[in-house]
Amino acid sequence: MNLIPQKPKLLNRKNVSAVCAGVLLCLSSSIFVSTPASASTEELKGVKGEITRQQKSLSQQQKELDKLQKQLKSDELSIANASKNLAQTRTSLKRSEANLKAYDQQHQELLEKTQAQAAALQKLVKSYYMMHTNAKIESFLSHESTQDKDRISQYYQHLAKQRAEVITELQQTNAKLEQKNLQLIAEQQQIETLLAQQSDQLNKQRSSQTSRKSTVAKIKRGIAGDSAYLNELKRNEARLKAEIAKAAKRNSVPMDGLAKQKGRLPWPVKGSVLHSYGSKQSGQVNWKGMVINAQYEQPVKAVYPGTVVFADYLRGYGLVLLLDHGKGDMTLYGYNQVLTKKEGDKVTSGETIALAGDTGGQSRSSVYFELRRNSQTQNPRSWLTR
């Protein structure tokens, strides 16, 4: 039975995703780790002030868009939570199935041992009976010497001892067999419970996916015009600046950075490039990173050791994870379905940090990958292996 959720069919789009398709616009040089604390503080104040100013001038249409974006966040986080629970249930289910298989094998071995012990006991009892009967007949027909009687008595004792040992072993094996029976029943019940949980989680995920499709469609209609779309991009940029400025202020990672890794970094996921660095996104806005096609819930790997300085949902980018590699070098991974790491975690190169998805309102499952050095965007293709 295959309970792994299939990737739902999403809305088609002629152009960029309705909620910014994960663009990371140009960020000012004062928001990364290498920036002094005072500069980060000033940048943060300025960004917050800009957001406040924009909020005061919001039209009714923009307010409705904000409401829809909050609903989208709720829908996508619900799906992400269900996906995470499903992954955990699958792991538990595999473990239970492995235990069940092992218990079944042990159960069979104990059963065969019981049968062998029962056969041995039957043989001993038969031998004891036959010898005892023959001894009585011989004793009746002839007069045995005391020595012969002692020899026969010792043989009786040997048979009785063997019989007692086999009976004890058989009792012990039966006790183990009963224990294995109870373990088999417990594992079977656990599997049934896990299957029921999976079914419930799948139903919840399907319900959230339906709600998400409706919300994405409404957002798409709300930013149909170029001016509305560009305004949404700018507001998302301000939010991103604020979050990275906060991360820079909170964290300081004394690592060597990426200086010696150009052209040697592994890809975060294996897939074709949907959008390249520097290509046109909308109007005068170009991509500041690259979008890589990925299967739904495909593992996303860290390209280099680092510390997680941001792991949360961000409007337009979905579930985002930001890694600090030291000396002002950062890599960013967006559109994730599930984040497997949290802020403060240390990760190694090649370690799974997320599962690919379509959060942020994307029209297909993919990963947004961006690399920055001292706040300046870099072409990721120049740093990744060929």
Side-chain angles (χ1 to χ4, degrees), residues 184-325:
L184 282 171
I185 293 171
E187 284 297 327
Q188 287 170 342
Q189 290 175 342
Q190 183 178 1
I191 286 176
E192 289 175 0
T193 301
L194 290 172
L195 288 174
Q197 289 177 357
Q198 274 199 328
S199 179
D200 182 59
Q201 289 162 10
L202 279 170
N203 289 333
K204 288 180 179 178
Q205 193 178 52
R206 291 190 184 106
S207 176
S208 296
Q209 287 284 10
T210 301
S211 177
R212 177 187 182 274
K213 285 183 180 180
S214 175
T215 305
V216 168
K218 291 176 182 178
I219 291 173
K220 182 179 179 181
R221 291 194 295 268
I223 56 173
D226 290 340
S227 60
Y229 177 65
L230 289 175
N231 186 47
E232 178 70 4
L233 289 181
K234 290 177 182 178
R235 295 174 66 209
N236 288 338
E237 176 191 11
R239 289 183 182 86
L240 184 61
K241 283 184 178 182
E243 293 302 335
I244 296 182
K246 287 185 212 175
K249 189 177 179 181
R250 287 194 306 267
N251 300 277
S252 178
V253 182
M255 295 181 66
D256 294 336
L258 303 174
K260 299 179 181 179
Q261 304 304 318
K262 196 164 189 177
R264 300 170 59 184
L265 296 175
W267 286 60
V269 289
K270 291 182 179 179
S272 59
V273 177
L274 300 177
H275 299 287
S276 299
Y277 174 85
S279 61
K280 184 177 180 180
Q281 186 191 1
S282 177
Q284 298 179 344
V285 177
N286 296 330
W287 289 95
K288 300 302 187 293
M290 62 193 297
V291 180
I292 308 171
N293 185 38
Q295 295 180 0
Y296 193 70
E297 294 190 350
Q298 180 179 344
V300 180
K301 313 282 188 177
V303 299
Y304 197 67
T307 299
V308 179
V309 293
F310 181 81
D312 206 345
Y313 189 95
L314 194 58
R315 178 167 163 175
Y317 314 114
L319 284 167
V320 174
L321 191 138
L322 185 66
L323 282 182
D324 191 339
H325 306 287

Side-chain angles (χ1 to χ4, degrees), residues 12 26 106 108 145 169 172 197 227 273 337 367:
N12 294 324
C26 185
Q106 293 169 4
Q108 185 61 34
S145 65
E169 289 178 356
Q172 292 174 347
Q197 289 177 357
S227 60
V273 177
Q337 183 60 34
V367 173

